[in-house]
Amino acid sequence: MNELSSTTRRTFLAATIAAPAILRAQDAPARLKVAFIGVGNRGGYLLTQMLKVPGIEIVAVCDLIPERTAKAAAEARAAGFKPAEYEDFRKMLEQRKDIDAVVAAVPVDTHLRVALGVLEAGKHIYSEKPMGLSPQECTTTVKAAQSAKGIYQIGFQLRHDPNRAASMAFIKSGGIGKVLYCQGYRHTHDLPYDEPWLFDKKRSGDIIVEQACHILDLMTWAIGKPPLRAMGSGGINLFKDIPPGRTVMDNYSVIYEYPDNVRLNFSQIYFDPDGFSGVKERVYGSEGAIDLAKAQYGKLDHKGPLTQLDVPNAGQAPEVMSLKAFVDNAVNGKKPLNDAESGRISTLVGILGRTAIEERRIVTWEEVAG
Ligand SMILES: NC(=O)c1ccc[n+]([C@@H]2O[C@H](COP(=O)([O-])OP(=O)(O)OC[C@H]3O[C@@H](n4cnc5c(N)ncnc54)[C@H](O)[C@@H]3O)[C@@H](O)[C@H]2O)c1
């Protein structure tokens, strides 16, 4: 199930349940030994967040760019760890048999290679979203995860965001009645121009797969089933060849039809001036509607202000919550909320929308999911 021996697992559990006032050296709690592969924008941020998670030790950091490795390793050292530095993740996995778990935040076209390497080495992996570039890559990843010793958790951290988690619990308890319609958009001019791979759709999967997948994941979770079909339209209207060679869209709209006559309307644009930007995640039901990100709902027959849900862990960063869950899942052999199969489905929802836009036709779920 996991890499910790039963003795260290018991020690870990004892330490996390009730830490004794004074620990002798030989009683020091076992920590999950974590390595990072890819410490660019996202991996660097995740490392900072991982430092807030109890019960871990950062033992290695790996990136193709040595300056990034050095910077991330220095941050881990400042927190009291002694990470080794690597450029080659295969060498790291070969040399450091003590690694229990890996956090991987590499470009999308590298997800499959890294995930397979880590899972085949018997480690747990927290792998950034989306799962891959194509349905085939997703299927291969899920198969590897199913037969692996370690767990696979995908970086759809918004499932662990306190507000979204409370909203979802409310929906699942019937709080808005039957889910009828979802509306989402991501109108944000926030593309990181220091990541050339992101603008090449062959490497990123295009923005609907690379970025919108978070909201598509939440909406599909709220509806509880994958879509039946999608139609859409999109292109590059303003940022032609910006940055040079750009192949990812700067705007699109897509409509998904889900079972039971449920629809999701989603759009994304990058030419939103200040004051026009925003992210929206709304789910409408037969008795009311909810804003997932705000955890606020309104009843259909209610004329007053929106109701704010009680939110456990309010204010906690989704990444910290997601990484805490990863450590707990790895140590205790639990199935992640954002496991491989849910990651495959949400990635395929993005690929379905992209295919409909590219091919200017209605595309069915069977065509992408097989
Ligand atoms: N969950 C989220 O909210 C979220 C947010 C941003 C990015 N991401 C995802 O994180 C991933 C990384 O994105 P980013 O913004 O950090 O990109 P980035 O370009 O800033 O960083 C990627 C890093 O991976 C390194 N790398 C590439 N191939 C490698 C290899 N074989 N071995 C070791 N290191 C390698 C690169 O040198 C680079 O430093 C992408 O999948 C992206 O979609 C997720």
Side-chain angles (χ1 to χ4, degrees), residues 212-357:
C213 59
H214 280 297
I215 301 180
L216 301 177
D217 174 59
L218 292 173
M219 296 306 187
T220 303
W221 185 22
I223 296 166
K225 294 167 190 161
L228 296 171
R229 58 189 75 84
M231 60 199 96
S233 174
I236 308 174
N237 285 33
L238 184 65
F239 296 112
K240 290 188 199 303
D241 217 30
I242 302 172
R246 177 189 189 119
T247 52
V248 299
M249 300 179 281
D250 63 12
N251 77 103
Y252 66 85
S253 294
V254 62
I255 297 172
Y256 292 94
E257 289 179 354
Y258 284 76
D260 305 321
N261 212 20
V262 178
R263 275 166 280 282
L264 162 61
N265 182 333
F266 186 85
S267 68
Q268 195 171 1
I269 58 173
Y270 284 102
F271 33 75
D272 46 301
D274 286 344
F276 287 78
S277 305
V279 174
K280 199 61 75 189
E281 302 158 9
R282 288 175 165 160
V283 181
Y284 295 79
S286 54
E287 293 170 24
I290 189 159
D291 183 315
L292 300 184
K294 293 182 179 164
Q296 292 177 335
Y297 78 98
K299 287 186 182 167
L300 268 184
D301 59 358
H302 187 65
K303 306 246 185 294
L306 298 180
T307 303
Q308 181 69 49
L309 293 179
D310 286 335
V311 176
N313 301 307
Q316 289 281 321
E319 286 79 6
V320 174
M321 300 298 291
S322 189
L323 290 169
K324 270 187 185 164
F326 174 60
V327 171
D328 180 38
N329 293 333
V331 170
N332 296 306
K334 292 186 191 162
K335 176 173 153 29
L337 173 63
N338 26 1
D339 67 350
E341 179 57 11
S342 73
R344 180 186 80 94
I345 288 174
S346 298
T347 302
L348 289 183
V349 177
I351 292 174
L352 173 66
R354 182 188 71 202
T355 311
I357 293 165

Side-chain angles (χ1 to χ4, degrees), residues 37-44 62-65 68 87-89 104-108 110-111 113-114 126 128-130 155-157 192 194-198 203 210-211 214 319:
I37 301 177
V39 281
N41 289 330
R42 186 62 180 170
C62 170
D63 198 292
L64 295 180
I65 302 173
R68 291 186 176 177
E87 254 182 79
D88 180 340
F89 80 89
V106 291
V108 184
T110 316
H111 284 189
R113 195 153 51 88
V114 168
Y126 182 102
E128 264 307 340
K129 42 50 59 176
F156 282 122
Q157 77 281 353
D194 60 337
E195 296 177 26
W197 64 268
L198 190 67
R203 299 200 61 199
E210 199 277 331
Q211 294 198 319
H214 280 297
E319 286 79 6

